[in-house]
Amino acid sequence: MSSSESTSQTASDAARRERRRSNFLLLVLAVGFLVFGVAAGALYYALRPEILRIAVGPAGSDDYKVIQAMADAFASESRTVRLRLIKADGAMEALALLGSGKADLAVGRGDLDMPAEAQTVAVVRKNFVVLWAPSGLAGKSSKRKPSLKIKEVADLAGRRVGVIGRTPVNPALLRVILGATGVQPDKVAVAQFGTDQIDELARDLTLDAFMAVGPLDSKITSDAVAATARARGEPKFLAIEASEAISIKHPRYESEEIPPSVFNADPAWPGDKVETVSVSHLIVARKSLPEATVAAFFRQLFAVRQAIARQVPGAAHITKPDLEKDAELQVHRGAAAVIDGNERTFLDRYGDYFWFGLLLLSGIGSAGAWLRRYLNRDERDDNTSHRNRILAMVSSARTAESNQELVALQREADTIIAETLECYDDGAIEQEELAAFGLVLDLLSNAIAERRAALQRSNLETVRGAVASHGGAPRG
């Protein structure tokens, strides 16, 4: 290969390497933008508020007002969980929406048929069963108090009970109470009244007793007791003596006591504590809902509970579920973790993802190194050809006839050295390849030095021979 051809080839190789370097930089820039976009998207997804659908109803009920205030409080404080209300006709429909997957949370009474994967998150309120019978109004001419016909739950056999509430759950609860007391449920007639029919309930003389289910501070229960007292005489509150047995046989119910004077102070209604049973209104969630999501909702709920209670007094009844009680409905693991203080930390939840990310980055690095070697394969081929060229130059140096040829070989070697070092700086060749190149370069340097020394000796001998030949000629 001539010197001009070698120079032209070197210039072409340098231009090609420059193009490849530019393409590689553009590729690195594109990958960088891609990684940044993925990271930004992942961060946005991780930090965006979680929107939970909660079914509650009917509209205008106490439960609906509490959940509406809760949703407003969550939205105003820009927390990690938001609520989207789904209106239902009642608690049964709300639970059906949960079971069908159309809602993430639902509000329902604990003695309703729950979806298979429903689990408790929080207790909205406790509803106490209040059973009472009228004592009858005293006649104007008689000073004796009317005798009570009904003194206990067992006396309800053959009687008619007015139940407040149109849903079938209250009559079903009454049948459980009657059965536990020894009264045949079919021996007791039931008449249901809406919450807006308290006056009709009080004036119905065919009713022998009354039943209400609600919080102890319920206005509906207090108004019903007062209305029946005005129309039918002072109430006699009926104790449910079998409350403990009911709570054992039916874990959805709890044994409770109604404190004295809770419905009226003077006269005291009731005059003494009354044993009864309670059933809770619950916020339930799907079992498949992530633990971290339910834990975040649980923390936010109790963080804003006092603020909600200032708007809707009923929110003050919201409490944590009891983990120690063998309830029929299991507490969701997210709520239980917060209550027990065993909530998993950020690293506990996402540690596996971090390890996976490190492995993924390692794989990306290896893939990048392979890609770089693949893109620089021509440079490695050039390095091999340069090494072979230097080996050929070694043979040329040993047979060079003049010092000018050696100088030309040295200049070509300098150019090849410059290209090789440039490839090494670009990462196109490895340390081992550079070491192999150094070996053949040392061989060329030694060959040039030896040949130069040999040429010098040859020239010196030629000069000496010429001098000697000139010195031995005869003088004229």
Side-chain angles (χ1 to χ4, degrees), residues 38-80:
V38 171
L43 185 63
Y44 171 78
Y45 180 81
L47 296 180
R48 69 184 179 89
E50 183 83 17
I51 298 177
L52 298 179
R53 302 164 298 171
I54 182 167
V56 60
S61 63
D62 291 342
D63 289 342
Y64 189 89
K65 293 176 182 178
V66 169
I67 300 302
Q68 180 66 64
M70 187 188 304
D72 294 340
F74 279 19
S76 64
E77 299 199 14
S78 299
R79 294 178 177 266
T80 56

Side-chain angles (χ1 to χ4, degrees), residues 390-440:
I390 291 178
L391 286 173
M393 290 166 61
V394 171
S395 299
S396 299
R398 288 173 177 168
T399 59
E401 297 295 336
S402 65
N403 194 51
Q404 286 77 13
E405 292 182 27
L406 295 176
V407 171
L409 291 173
Q410 186 64 62
R411 288 175 179 172
E412 184 178 353
D414 292 342
T415 303
I416 293 175
I417 291 171
E419 293 180 14
T420 302
L421 291 177
E422 186 176 355
C423 290
Y424 176 74
D425 292 338
D426 292 342
I429 61 175
E430 303 295 336
Q431 181 73 33
E432 295 80 3
E433 296 171 309
L434 186 64
F437 179 82
L439 291 177
V440 296

